[in-house]
Amino acid sequence: MAPTVLLLGGVGFIGRNLVQYLLDKSLVETVRVADKALPATAYLNDAQKRLFTEDKRVEFRQANLTNAAAIEKVYTRDDGKEFDYVINLAAETKYGQSDEVYDERTYQLSVAVANEAAKRKVKVFVEVSTAQVYESDKKPSGEEGKVKPWTAVAKSKLKAEEELKKIPGLNLVILRPALVYGPGDVYGLTPRLIMGAVYRQLNEKMELLWTKDLKMNTVHVSDVARAIWHVSATTAEQGGRAGPVTGVEIYNLADHNDTDQGKVNNLIEIIFGIKTGFQGTMISQFAKLNLEAVTEDVNDKHLQPWSELCKSAGVANTPLTPYLDKELLKDNALSVDGTKIEKTLGFGYLVPTMTEAGLREVVAGFVESGTWPKGTTK
């Protein structure tokens, strides 16, 4: 019989794509999705809406997973059995929140749901973290690389990772994806795509800080979904171990594109028919010293034209914004070696490089759902 899965935070970007993958491939008997957000208000695409509302294999539970009683409730099945796999995608993923918010919604939440998994002796618990936990470096970080998280999201994730490793009897696998993009992506590459649409509207050259070589390694959401399933199934087969090494297994997820700002800009030029470039050393050094003011200026420049684009196209409600938090405007390199999962578990990336078609698919998905104005691309 196919396994049963509890998916925490499953209405979000990665979660909705994972649900679609599991059901399209008939990999599960049931998947219970627990999230504080309701599918009806989460801007799902039409196919995903149908899965959440019509597919009998999906059970949705609205739950605030910072609450102990809510955690116990979502773990409890009607038949008295336990879930085979628990996948934790529940976290505060929005940038620019307070430390208290990340502590409660990421760190404390992860520890609480992992303790419940250990208590119930689930076969596998997958914690989806982030590759932003590694020290910013041009050289790709492997799983043993130096950790020095450079966003508040990553700090809370690393703290959670360390605590989860100490939980007795937890069959833990940690995944650290690079920048995740694909249909439904709001905070990854999409703000840059929106900027492309804005500069097309303004008929101006789009010039970014730093240089074309600044690494921002990527992984497609479909490969993240496949990797989550791959490590879950492999770990269960091996009795609670993913791979040949005892103890906690950690896997990076990064495609073969070795994505940097230059590669992203090249595709934005093609998609939006604009010119792009970089500000140069002097302006970038000034920005480094005045990041607060520069962030404000950058966002002021983009927010109004985007708002006008949406208004003129009749887009009344959208989760999309070109707003970039100052944490993401810093010159931190995201350079990740994602080959361990290939070498040790036989996983293969089906989207090894970022393509024009792949980014156009992101825009087209938002246009279809009515959250992106029509006619912004070339």
Side-chain angles (χ1 to χ4, degrees):
M1 191 178 274
T4 55
V5 174
L6 174 59
L7 181 53
L8 306 171
V11 173
F13 166 42
I14 297 174
R16 65 186 65 183
N17 282 282
L18 177 57
V19 169
Q20 193 166 5
Y21 174 70
L22 296 178
L23 298 179
D24 285 353
K25 300 290 183 187
S26 299
L27 296 168
V28 293
E29 183 191 337
T30 58
V31 55
R32 176 178 289 178
V33 178
D35 204 307
K36 66 178 186 291
L38 289 166
T41 59
Y43 301 102
L44 300 175
N45 66 34
D46 290 344
Q48 290 161 349
K49 276 180 200 162
R50 281 194 296 275
L51 291 176
F52 273 88
T53 54
E54 297 171 19
D55 197 305
K56 299 277 190 289
R57 294 167 295 174
V58 180
E59 300 173 5
F60 176 75
R61 299 283 190 276
Q62 188 176 27
N64 177 1
L65 296 170
T66 60
N67 176 294
I71 292 170
E72 190 173 346
K73 206 169 173 184
V74 300
Y75 267 90
T76 305
R77 288 175 56 185
D78 297 339
D79 61 8
K81 295 177 182 174
E82 301 299 349
F83 288 98
D84 295 306
Y85 310 156
V86 178
I87 294 149
N88 184 32
L89 288 161
E92 180 54 69
T93 52
K94 198 175 180 184
Y95 294 98
Q97 307 299 297
S98 68
D99 289 346
E100 290 76 20
V101 166
Y102 294 117
D103 188 68
E104 181 189 34
R105 297 184 195 168
T106 299
Y107 169 68
Q108 290 180 37
L109 185 155
S110 290
V111 173
V113 297
N115 272 310
E116 190 69 21
K119 188 170 90 178
R120 292 170 180 266
K121 298 182 169 55
V122 302
K123 290 175 186 172
V124 190
F125 182 88
V126 179
E127 173 73 7
V128 181
S129 184
T130 170
Q132 291 172 353
V133 299
Y134 294 114
E135 184 175 36
S136 166
D137 196 349
K138 285 179 189 170
K139 289 179 187 165
S141 296
E143 286 78 358
E144 304 302 318
K146 185 178 178 185
V147 289
K148 190 181 177 185
W150 45 271
T151 63
V153 168
K155 283 172 189 162
S156 60
K157 275 292 187 188
L158 184 62
K159 191 179 169 192
E161 282 187 28
E162 296 306 323
E163 203 57 38
L164 265 52
K165 289 176 188 175
K166 299 173 191 169
I167 297 174
L170 182 67
N171 296 323
L172 173 65
V173 184
I174 295 168
L175 294 177
R176 292 174 176 166
L179 187 67
V180 186
Y181 74 100
D185 157 36
V186 172
Y187 302 125
L189 283 178
T190 296
R192 290 177 187 248
L193 293 173
I194 293 170
M195 283 162 59
V198 164
Y199 280 93
R200 178 176 171 84
Q201 172 78 357
L202 295 172
N203 197 22
E204 289 179 24
K205 185 178 183 182
M206 182 174 105
E207 291 191 296
L208 302 182
L209 289 170
W210 323 121
T211 68
K212 67 180 177 59
D213 302 316
L214 182 66
K215 299 290 184 193
M216 43 188 301
N217 285 183
T218 48
V219 60
H220 195 275
V221 69
S222 61
D223 280 332
V224 176
R226 290 176 52 255
I228 289 169
W229 181 253
H230 194 86
V231 297
S232 300
T234 309
T235 305
E237 279 168 24
Q238 298 182 355
R241 283 215 326 268
V245 185
T246 53
V248 177
E249 281 297 296
I250 299 174
Y251 294 98
N252 293 339
L253 300 176
D255 59 30
H256 301 163
N257 200 53
D258 193 23
T259 311
D260 55 29
Q261 286 204 126
K263 289 180 181 177
V264 175
N265 272 19
N266 288 344
L267 293 175
I268 287 174
E269 285 191 353
I270 296 165
I271 293 166
F272 296 99
I274 60 170
K275 286 195 159 43
T276 69
F278 296 91
Q279 296 279 15
T281 313
M282 209 157 83
I283 294 175
S284 293
Q285 286 307 318
F286 171 80
K288 200 178 266 193
L289 300 171
N290 302 273
L291 205 59
E292 198 86 39
V294 169
T295 303
E296 208 171 296
D297 289 348
V298 165
N299 288 317
D300 282 350
K301 166 111 182 163
H302 303 142
L303 287 167
Q304 188 63 34
W306 174 246
S307 174
E308 286 165 6
L309 261 175
C310 290
K311 194 176 174 185
S312 63
V315 175
N317 295 304
T318 179
L320 306 177
T321 171
Y323 182 87
L324 284 172
D325 190 79
K326 67 173 190 274
E327 286 186 312
L328 296 180
L329 274 177
K330 287 180 185 169
D331 57 336
N332 285 313
L334 185 63
S335 186
V336 188
D337 181 347
T339 58
K340 177 185 167 185
I341 191 169
E342 295 178 289
K343 292 168 186 167
T344 58
L345 297 188
F347 177 76
Y349 295 97
L350 293 186
V351 190
T353 56
M354 184 190 292
T355 63
E356 178 193 343
L359 294 188
R360 282 190 183 275
E361 184 189 20
V362 176
V363 176
F366 287 130
V367 170
E368 185 195 318
S369 69
T371 54
W372 184 298
K374 288 178 179 171
T376 60
T377 57
K378 190 178 171 187

